[in-house]
Amino acid sequence: MKTKDNFSAEHLLYLKKRKRDDLTVAAARISLAVGFLALWELLFQVGAIDGFIFSSPSRIAKSLVNLAKTGELFMHAGITLFETLSGFVIATAAGTLAALALWWNEKLRKILDPYIVVLNSLPKIALGPVIIIWFGSGLKSIVVMTVLITVIVTTITMLGGFTATDGNKIFLLRSLGAGKMQILTKLVIPSALPTFISMLKINVGLSWIGSIMGEYLVSRAGIGYLIVYGGQVFKLDLVYAATLVLCLLATGMYALVSLTEKLTVGKK
Amino acid sequence: MNTLLTLDKVGLVYHSPSGETQAIKDMSFEVNEGEFTAVIGPSGCGKSTLLSVIAGLIRPSEGSVKIREREGGGSGELGYMLQRDELFPWRTIRKNVVLPLEIKRRKTRVNVEYALSLLEKYGLKEFTDHYPDQLSGGMRQRVALIRTLAAKPELLLLDEPFSALDYQTRLSVCEDVFRIIRKENKTALLVTHDVSEAVSVADRVLLLSPRPAKIRKEYLLDFGRDTTPLKRRNDPRFRDWFELMWRDLNYENKR
């Protein structure tokens, strides 16, 4: 392999082309966003669209600044983030443990299989009234809703990962005299790590659905509450501003999971 | 010579919802210490099942399997080598090789050093800290053999260990595996459907019948202990043995 100092002219050309391609993509991305916002603002300024219904980037920005000044923004974002993260952590842990139990006990797996199918098919939002009656109209209900939406999918995904363990490798360990616990810790868990990571990514999306849906149902605070409230009093600036914050938070959480993936799976 | 493995009238019946199948019937043979025995037979005759019975992973329905004088077979003294290397991709070569020591809870400094010394002895030292996907198929299968040897098994069970390799690699890995087994003075039982492979490595070949598997014939090969597979393939006797077994095998198939 040639090093940096003695690349051929052809290779330098190739590198230059690659760099140019990367720049083109980045430029196109940025101009897409800027162009969209500029067009939106322009249409609003000349009166082509109704600011009351469609709002505009400048009105959204103003609304965000106001929310930030009063500190409301951070309060609402904090509450929703707390609900989402608690739901995410509880559901991930509970679902993974349930999947482990089902992997360990094949009979239990057979018995519970139809119940898992039914629970998975059920739209969890239908349980809303029951959850409110059981857990009250507050944060607790929202976390429960988040957990319910996330936990079944977690269980099914992780059980799939555990049972997909290479049968020949299990055979090899058994031939060495390994017990079930050793098979679990030395083989099943490490080989399910990629499944675990992709499950985390799915769970980021699901837990945001859970917390926002929960806030739609019961809350007095949070991003979902801001969106519902804004819609009810026709403050659409607020609706758009809250949605934007939601986008940023959810993307940030996804990015954190991707980083975890790089640190674990990438390293092997 | 001491007898290492004794099968006495072993029989195995499989049960499934659709019925029962006699997989092995009335099988008796012995393997002596230091001997390289190959078992050939038509495909689906239960060769791999036989190894599982010897390894104690499947209990025979009848008869007994003894290693030395211990009843029932057992995993402690056996090393299994499979078609694929089955190295764990998230472990380095070093950690793959010491896996049997971890499982058997014998991961002492001396044992680890022994395993690593095998890597060094057979030219794999520089790959100690590599991951399996950085090695070629042939090297991976050599690592798999060293992993098998790490726990110092008395008996090696080889279940078609070369069949997943391409022809060139198969010849050279077979050569290496033979040398390593001879050099470490191990007893080995190889199961294969490849007659030429059996002739090229074994001291003795057992021919199985179609299911239920039974021993039909026994061939004592006369190449001498230290004639390696490649040398044997060039030996005029190789063709004679090959043809004899080939004919017997196909005769069995047709019946």
Side-chain angles (χ1 to χ4, degrees):
Chain A
M1 190 92 91
K2 288 186 170 181
T3 51
K4 213 174 179 177
D5 307 313
N6 54 3
F7 283 150
S8 68
E10 201 182 345
H11 189 71
L12 286 173
L13 212 65
Y14 161 80
L15 287 180
K16 208 170 169 184
K17 187 178 175 308
R18 278 203 59 153
K19 204 170 180 185
R20 206 170 48 218
D21 286 350
D22 290 350
L23 277 176
T24 317
V25 171
R29 277 178 185 163
I30 293 167
S31 31
L32 200 61
V34 172
F36 175 72
L37 292 175
L39 184 69
W40 187 359
E41 184 68 33
L42 185 76
L43 289 175
F44 164 71
Q45 294 293 347
V46 300
I49 55 171
D50 186 351
F52 182 66
I53 293 170
F54 291 104
S55 188
S56 81
S58 61
R59 289 175 63 157
I60 295 169
K62 212 183 288 168
S63 171
L64 270 178
V65 171
N66 281 338
L67 279 174
K69 265 187 194 154
T70 57
E72 276 178 281
L73 176 65
F74 308 107
M75 189 269 283
H76 289 295
I79 285 173
T80 305
L81 197 58
F82 174 76
E83 291 158 355
T84 311
L85 287 178
S86 351
F88 176 83
V89 170
I90 295 170
T92 302
T96 307
L97 287 178
L100 276 179
L102 292 174
W103 176 84
W104 189 274
N105 191 331
E106 201 178 336
K107 193 145 266 165
L108 189 68
R109 187 157 82 223
K110 272 189 188 155
I111 294 170
L112 293 183
D113 184 59
Y115 296 95
I116 294 172
V117 172
V118 169
L119 284 178
N120 185 43
S121 316
L122 178 77
K124 263 60 81 180
I125 188 81
L127 299 173
V130 180
I131 295 172
I132 295 169
I133 291 166
W134 285 2
F135 297 95
S137 58
L139 197 129
K140 221 194 284 176
S141 280
I142 297 168
V143 174
V144 169
M145 177 61 86
T146 311
V147 171
L148 276 182
I149 284 183
T150 315
V151 75
I152 305 291
V153 176
T154 307
T155 309
I156 292 174
T157 310
M158 285 320 293
L159 182 59
F162 293 146
T163 50
T165 309
D166 186 349
N168 288 328
K169 290 194 169 66
I170 294 179
F171 183 86
L172 177 85
L173 288 185
R174 284 185 56 218
S175 81
L176 290 166
K180 207 161 190 177
M181 198 56 170
Q182 284 180 317
I183 291 176
L184 179 69
T185 55
K186 303 278 180 201
L187 175 62
V188 174
I189 289 178
S191 59
L193 186 64
T195 311
F196 185 76
I197 299 284
S198 59
M199 180 270 292
L200 287 184
K201 285 179 171 173
I202 297 169
N203 284 3
V204 170
L206 286 179
S207 52
W208 282 102
I209 292 175
S211 61
I212 298 299
M213 210 125 83
E215 287 184 5
Y216 280 9
L217 281 179
V218 293
S219 70
R220 298 273 172 279
I223 302 285
Y225 163 77
L226 279 186
I227 293 172
V228 172
Y229 169 78
Q232 279 166 351
V233 300
F234 269 91
K235 276 167 86 178
L236 286 164
D237 299 345
L238 184 61
V239 173
Y240 292 121
T243 309
L244 182 67
V245 173
L246 189 58
C247 279
L248 293 176
L249 289 176
T251 311
M253 192 164 153
Y254 189 86
L256 277 180
V257 171
S258 295
L259 187 70
T260 321
E261 179 178 23
K262 281 212 183 92
L263 292 178
T264 53
V265 178
K267 222 172 52 181
K268 266 194 234 121
Chain B
M1 248 192 282
N2 292 324
T3 307
L4 182 62
L5 171 72
T6 313
L7 272 76
D8 187 23
K9 296 197 176 69
V10 169
L12 181 73
V13 179
Y14 263 133
H15 296 277
S16 71
S18 56
E20 50 184 325
T21 318
Q22 182 97 39
I24 299 172
K25 198 178 175 186
D26 203 17
M27 186 178 291
S28 303
F29 68 90
E30 293 182 346
V31 172
N32 290 326
E33 232 171 278
E35 198 178 25
F36 203 137
T37 307
V39 176
I40 57 172
S43 54
C45 76
K47 299 186 292 277
S48 297
T49 312
L50 175 65
L51 287 193
S52 295
V53 170
I54 293 170
L57 294 172
I58 302 177
R59 280 175 68 91
S61 318
E62 298 164 88
S64 71
V65 177
K66 281 184 196 161
I67 291 177
R68 297 211 187 276
E69 284 308 305
R70 288 182 302 269
E71 184 80 31
S75 56
E77 310 74 22
L78 295 162
Y80 228 113
M81 199 170 161
L82 303 168
Q83 276 190 29
R84 300 187 186 283
D85 51 73
E86 306 302 350
L87 298 175
F88 291 8
W90 56 87
R91 284 176 171 242
T92 58
I93 298 306
R94 175 202 309 271
K95 290 206 165 157
N96 264 296
V97 163
V98 299
L99 179 71
L101 302 175
E102 285 176 28
I103 299 295
K104 293 171 194 286
R105 300 195 172 82
R106 294 212 300 256
K107 200 180 164 187
T108 59
R109 204 170 54 86
V110 180
N111 288 341
V112 171
E113 266 167 23
Y114 169 72
L116 295 178
S117 76
L118 287 175
L119 279 179
E120 182 167 5
K121 199 160 155 194
Y122 298 110
L124 290 156
K125 192 186 181 208
E126 54 179 310
F127 302 105
T128 306
D129 294 311
H130 285 48
Y131 286 96
D133 61 5
Q134 294 169 290
L135 271 63
S136 70
M139 284 200 277
R140 292 170 60 128
Q141 200 57 313
R142 287 183 195 107
V143 173
L145 176 64
I146 290 171
R147 175 184 59 192
T148 310
L149 294 173
K152 300 185 182 165
E154 293 180 272
L155 176 63
L156 294 177
L157 301 175
L158 313 175
D159 190 356
E160 309 220 6
F162 315 116
S163 59
L165 302 169
D166 65 73
Y167 188 68
Q168 295 292 327
T169 315
R170 190 185 306 176
L171 290 185
S172 84
V173 173
C174 181
E175 183 85 359
D176 286 352
V177 166
F178 178 88
R179 282 169 192 271
I180 294 171
I181 286 173
R182 281 285 187 250
K183 207 161 178 179
E184 304 297 324
N185 209 14
K186 293 293 178 189
T187 314
L189 186 62
L190 168 79
V191 151
T192 180
H193 63 269
D194 183 340
V195 175
S196 67
E197 201 167 276
V199 178
S200 68
V201 296
D203 302 315
R204 186 167 66 121
V205 179
L206 302 173
L207 173 69
L208 299 189
S209 65
R211 217 161 54 192
K214 247 180 160 175
I215 291 178
R216 273 286 166 215
K217 277 206 165 130
E218 182 179 356
Y219 311 88
L220 293 170
L221 304 187
D222 51 359
F223 293 103
R225 268 184 74 79
D226 296 318
T227 318
T228 68
L230 286 177
K231 278 188 203 150
R232 290 190 191 194
R233 284 176 188 269
N234 289 323
D235 193 302
R237 282 171 293 179
F238 185 87
R239 263 191 62 181
D240 300 338
W241 281 118
F242 179 86
E243 265 167 33
L244 179 62
M245 287 181 205
W246 179 254
R247 215 169 337 112
D248 290 347
L249 183 65
N250 284 312
Y251 171 73
E252 289 304 331
N253 275 342
K254 273 189 217 107
R255 276 182 0 123

